[in-house]
């Protein structure tokens, strides 16, 4: 299977240019995987349809997960920022900023 098919984090690909990035995003979108990591950046695409992405069950999965163990998601970004703000990621509390 193509490398981008498996990549929840496109930054892990050997080559990342505009064509690879857009192709990876397209593949994930077609599989209804609307969130994709590119390093520390989360790319979110509008699925133009309701998807079961935001229920309580999904939220609870991302509250205490290890990075990379679950698919990319906005809840993962929130969890990382929250735990870093509280100093639970080591190194003491750190200010956080999320750009949407």
């Amino acid at each position: 299977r193509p490398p981008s098919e498996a990549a929840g984090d496109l930054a892990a690909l050997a080559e990342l240019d505009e064509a690879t990035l857009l192709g990876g995003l397209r593949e994930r979108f077609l599989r209804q995987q609307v969130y994709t990591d590119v390093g520390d950046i989360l790319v979110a695409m509008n699925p133009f349809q309701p998807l079961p992405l935001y229920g309580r069950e999904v939220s609870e999965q991302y509250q205490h997960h290890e990075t990379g163990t679950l698919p990319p998601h906005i809840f993962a970004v929130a969890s990382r920022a929250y735990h870093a703000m509280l100093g639970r990621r080591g190194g003491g509390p750190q200010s956080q900023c999320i750009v949407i």
Side-chain angles (χ1 to χ4, degrees):
R1 73 185 182 174
S4 59
E5 183 178 331
D9 185 350
L10 295 180
L13 298 175
E15 184 177 325
L16 184 60
D17 56 20
E18 184 179 355
T20 306
L21 175 69
L22 293 175
L25 290 173
R26 182 178 189 285
E27 288 177 23
R28 293 181 60 75
F29 180 82
L30 292 174
R31 290 194 316 267
Q32 296 184 329
Q33 296 172 321
V34 296
Y35 292 117
T36 304
D37 286 328
V38 183
D40 289 336
I41 298 169
L42 178 71
V43 176
M45 297 174 283
N46 185 343
F48 299 102
Q49 63 180 310
L51 295 175
L53 296 174
Y54 307 106
R56 175 173 297 223
E57 208 172 274
V58 176
S59 174
E60 289 173 355
Q61 286 179 332
Y62 283 89
Q63 284 181 5
H64 300 288
H65 82 288
E66 290 293 320
T67 301
T69 59
L70 293 173
H73 199 287
I74 191 69
F75 290 160
V77 172
S79 179
R80 282 193 307 268
Y82 177 73
H83 290 291
M85 179 185 69
L86 296 178
R88 295 182 183 161
R89 299 272 184 212
Q94 298 177 340
S95 296
Q96 299 296 302
C97 176
I98 298 174
V99 178
I100 299 176

